[in-house]
Amino acid sequence: PNGRWENVRDRHELYCAGHLMEAAVAHYRATGKKHFLDSLCKFADHIDSRFGRDEGKVRGYPGHEEIELALVKLYHATGNGRYRDLASFFIRERGEVPYFFQEEARGRGEANGDFFGTIERMKHWQAHAPIIDQQEAVGHAVRAGYFYAGAVDIAREQGDIVLLDACKRLWTNIATSKLYITGGTGARYEGEAFGDTYELPSESAYAETCAAIAFILFSHRLLQVDLDAKYADEMERALYNGMISGVSLDGRNFFYVNPLSYTTVPGEKKRHQRNTNRRQEWFGCACCPNNLSRLIASIGSFAYSIDDAQDTIAVHLFIESKVNLELGATGTEVIITQETAYPWNGDVAITMSVEKNARFSMLLRIPGWCNHHEININDEKVDAAIVNGYARLERAWRDGDLISFHMDMPVARIHANPRVAELHGRVAITRGPIVYCIEGADNGKDLQQLLLPASSALQVDTEPSRLGGMPCITARGYRSRIKPSAINALYTDIEGELVPEIIRFIPYHAWGNRKPGDMLVWIRECMVCFPP
């Protein structure tokens, strides 16, 4: 067709090719059949013939990153190093001067071609500088997450410490100043982009479902090269909150964006079109539903990892599961059966099955939210050394050995860094990895009027008829009301009143599954409240 590869900045040819390659690899791994894989190898060969540094090739890269991850997977499935090298080219060429998107626009005769050569504009595509020189996460949050994840893949494959350090620097920038408490990323509707440092608005948050997924992929890849629980903690935060909130409890409807506050406004004129309190059946740009399906189907691959060199098996996520693993160094076959009701309680039972006694280490993640835990093996308490957030259990394992792992899971009050201006005087409620919110279905309208005293007890409340029996939280609080004499005044010197009220919190990911209404994560907190 005419126009092929002439506008890789705006058209998603390479992005779609990447997803199709990932599908082909998944199909091959699931079925052993190669017809789909072989077709996509031909497609990858074609792309490799068009892009690169060799004479006659285009020194370009995709406008929407994703193919970088897919090419590495294709390399692992086929052993063809050209696919890995092409991914490396796309990662390393981005940000080089002259800017490819500027040259491409000029070639198409676009009058504003020079506009796409400005550094600020190029930040949208993370193409303003080579990745090793980038200091903060900028631009489109989904593209960025895929780009950084692909860069970790290449750093790992090529042993590039400089590239890996750049990825860690960018991850830290997100996790310490640009990440929502739900694990969402992307503060701005404009450009679906990261905001400035500590720019984390609640009502206008974009926090696209795909951006949470991209951050999960980024965190998981760093976890594979640097076994540090901080990566698994943030991966889990996004999984149980800002990612899974993107799908309704019955799996039929979807959120594109995931704000942390929703206030009903007549006419809905103040919001961008995707900010809604009703999940949609589908979207014209339907990336999020498919991405959710893909991630949920592959969740098992995030739960465990093996380090053959160290003879270790690491447990990253606590999920009811059964997995067959083989330690490559010794050829030891291990079957791990995990039984748990996590994240609703902190008890995990892990049964070890081995054909013969074998010495290796089991590493259990101690979540960052957990202040007290206990580990027993065959009903005997063990004091395990904790390194980088993982408890190390090294022993000669026998068939039937049982690890009982308990994590205290109290309700916690979380406060934001004071540099997040919008969240001054507000508190979020969590329990384990779950972030909670208040919703109109339980608390009526005008949620901004509610106040939670700092001294108020937070009680776990399980009601089978509410949200399938999910643990909810209740507390005594107040609603601030305007006195009738001042009801029509925009400003007044007449003091309001505080009315006692029971406040009910539900898991954030479950909001919007009942009657449409308001929602709020960060509730106003009062240090001292005096009842009327």
Side-chain angles (χ1 to χ4, degrees):
N2 294 332
R4 181 186 296 173
W5 309 124
E6 291 183 2
N7 184 0
V8 297
R9 182 195 71 201
D10 299 330
R11 297 172 183 169
H12 282 25
E13 294 157 296
L14 292 171
Y15 168 83
C16 292
H19 277 302
L20 202 56
M21 289 174 193
E22 291 209 47
V25 172
H27 179 266
Y28 168 63
R29 288 175 176 168
T31 67
K33 298 177 181 179
K34 298 187 67 175
H35 56 282
F36 190 10
L37 183 70
D38 289 343
S39 296
L40 268 296
C41 285
K42 293 178 182 178
F43 194 6
D45 292 340
H46 168 69
I47 294 170
D48 183 53
S49 73
R50 296 297 299 263
F51 294 91
R53 291 193 177 93
D54 295 340
E55 185 176 353
K57 292 186 177 182
V58 177
R59 293 189 61 166
Y61 36 82
H64 196 312
E65 300 94 315
E66 204 287 332
I67 194 173
E68 299 85 350
L69 292 76
L71 286 166
V72 173
K73 288 187 177 181
L74 199 61
Y75 157 64
H76 283 293
T78 65
N80 190 333
R82 287 191 298 110
Y83 304 145
R84 174 202 56 211
D85 295 343
L86 181 58
S88 178
F89 164 75
F90 283 143
I91 293 291
R92 298 178 188 278
E93 185 67 19
R94 184 176 293 271
E96 293 289 344
V97 178
Y99 295 128
F100 169 68
F101 292 151
Q102 181 183 37
E103 298 295 305
E104 185 189 50
R106 287 173 176 169
R108 291 193 301 271
E110 288 187 9
N112 63 347
D114 289 339
F115 171 70
F116 291 101
T118 63
I119 290 178
E120 286 303 312
R121 182 58 179 166
M122 295 300 288
K123 286 181 178 179
H124 176 75
W125 298 279
Q126 299 78 47
H128 55 292
I131 187 172
I132 60 172
D133 296 326
Q134 295 184 24
Q135 302 301 314
E136 67 170 326
V138 295
H140 191 278
V142 181
R143 300 172 199 232
Y146 285 149
F147 178 43
Y148 305 150
V152 177
D153 280 343
I154 292 302
R156 185 182 186 186
E157 292 293 333
Q158 299 179 341
D160 190 332
I161 300 301
V162 174
L163 180 57
L164 181 61
D165 285 345
C167 294
K168 290 181 178 181
R169 179 173 66 245
L170 292 164
W171 186 92
T172 299
N173 175 252
I174 296 171
T176 60
S177 66
K178 298 190 176 188
L179 184 69
Y180 283 101
I181 192 173
T182 57
T185 65
R188 297 177 180 175
Y189 166 68
E190 295 78 13
E192 302 177 331
F194 289 105
D196 293 330
T197 300
Y198 300 113
E199 181 186 342
L200 293 166
S202 293
E203 187 88 11
S204 61
Y206 201 72
E208 183 181 336
T209 301
C210 281
I213 292 172
F215 187 65
I216 289 168
L217 299 179
F218 183 24
S219 300
H220 181 246
R221 279 162 169 77
L222 282 172
L223 185 63
Q224 304 311 299
V225 295
D226 182 9
L227 190 66
D228 191 317
K230 66 183 181 183
Y231 300 121
D233 285 348
E234 298 304 347
M235 178 175 73
E236 180 182 71
R237 181 199 300 272
L239 278 169
Y240 284 116
N241 300 287
M243 182 277 288
I244 201 64
S245 58
V247 60
S248 60
L249 296 180
D250 63 7
R252 295 176 180 272
N253 296 282
F254 305 90
F255 275 146
Y256 201 100
V257 304
N258 298 273
L260 281 74
S261 173
Y262 188 93
T263 305
T264 303
V265 176
E268 302 288 339
K269 293 182 179 179
K270 76 168 188 172
R271 286 190 188 82
H272 51 78
Q273 60 182 357
R274 286 174 174 158
N275 187 325
T276 175
N277 60 359
R278 297 176 179 85
R279 290 177 178 83
Q280 309 298 304
E281 290 186 359
W282 206 246
F283 304 99
C285 178
C287 50
C288 296
N290 299 293
N291 222 351
L292 277 163
S293 299
R294 176 182 70 151
L295 190 83
I296 292 170
S298 62
I299 196 68
S301 64
F302 295 84
Y304 305 90
S305 66
I306 297 175
D307 186 335
D308 290 330
Q310 300 294 324
D311 267 349
T312 61
I313 297 173
V315 181
H316 307 303
L317 299 176
F318 307 111
I319 299 174
E320 189 100 0
S321 57
K322 184 175 183 179
V323 61
N324 293 47
L325 302 171
E326 181 177 326
L327 286 166
T330 60
T332 302
E333 293 185 4
V334 183
I335 299 175
I336 296 175
T337 303
Q338 191 178 158
E339 297 174 280
T340 182
Y342 190 94
W344 306 124
N345 70 44
D347 293 316
V348 181
I350 299 175
T351 302
M352 310 292 291
S353 298
V354 292
E355 290 185 347
K356 58 183 179 180
N357 294 356
R359 177 169 289 276
F360 58 91
S361 295
M362 287 288 291
L363 305 180
L364 302 184
R365 178 174 64 94
I366 310 299
W369 55 260
C370 178
N371 294 321
H372 180 266
H373 71 276
E374 183 175 306
I375 301 173
N376 289 269
I377 299 178
N378 300 329
D379 295 325
E380 293 186 9
K381 185 177 179 180
V382 297
D383 293 319
I386 299 176
V387 180
N388 292 333
Y390 284 82
R392 187 180 190 92
L393 307 176
E394 182 177 359
R395 60 186 276 135
W397 296 95
R398 299 173 299 175
D399 191 52
D401 279 347
L402 175 64
I403 303 171
S404 300
F405 181 33
H406 170 77
M407 295 164 279
D408 283 357
M409 194 176 277
V411 180
R413 296 168 180 261
I414 307 298
H415 297 89
N417 187 301
R419 284 172 282 190
V420 185
E422 183 180 303
L423 301 183
H424 288 177
R426 292 181 179 270
V427 63
I429 303 303
T430 65
R431 181 172 179 265
I434 302 296
V435 175
Y436 281 74
C437 70
I438 54 177
E439 189 178 21
D442 303 303
N443 301 283
K445 297 180 179 180
D446 301 320
L447 300 180
Q448 299 288 354
Q449 294 178 356
L450 294 175
L451 294 98
L452 179 67
S455 59
S456 185
L458 298 164
Q459 304 290 336
V460 178
D461 171 26
T462 301
E463 171 57 54
S465 63
R466 184 187 302 114
L467 297 171
M470 291 182 192
C472 298
I473 296 168
T474 58
R476 293 183 180 276
Y478 296 93
R479 183 179 292 274
S480 59
R481 293 190 183 278
I482 300 172
K483 289 186 177 180
S485 58
I487 195 69
N488 293 318
L490 181 59
Y491 308 105
T492 181
D493 60 357
I494 300 174
E495 291 187 5
E497 57 184 355
L498 295 179
V499 179
E501 187 164 322
I502 298 297
I503 303 173
R504 175 168 284 109
F505 298 81
I506 67 166
Y508 167 77
H509 75 261
W511 88 278
N513 280 280
R514 297 173 291 177
K515 63 180 182 180
D518 295 355
M519 180 274 295
L520 183 66
V521 170
W522 293 95
I523 187 173
R524 289 195 296 162
E525 183 181 46
C526 53
M527 302 309 294
V528 179
C529 283
F530 298 98

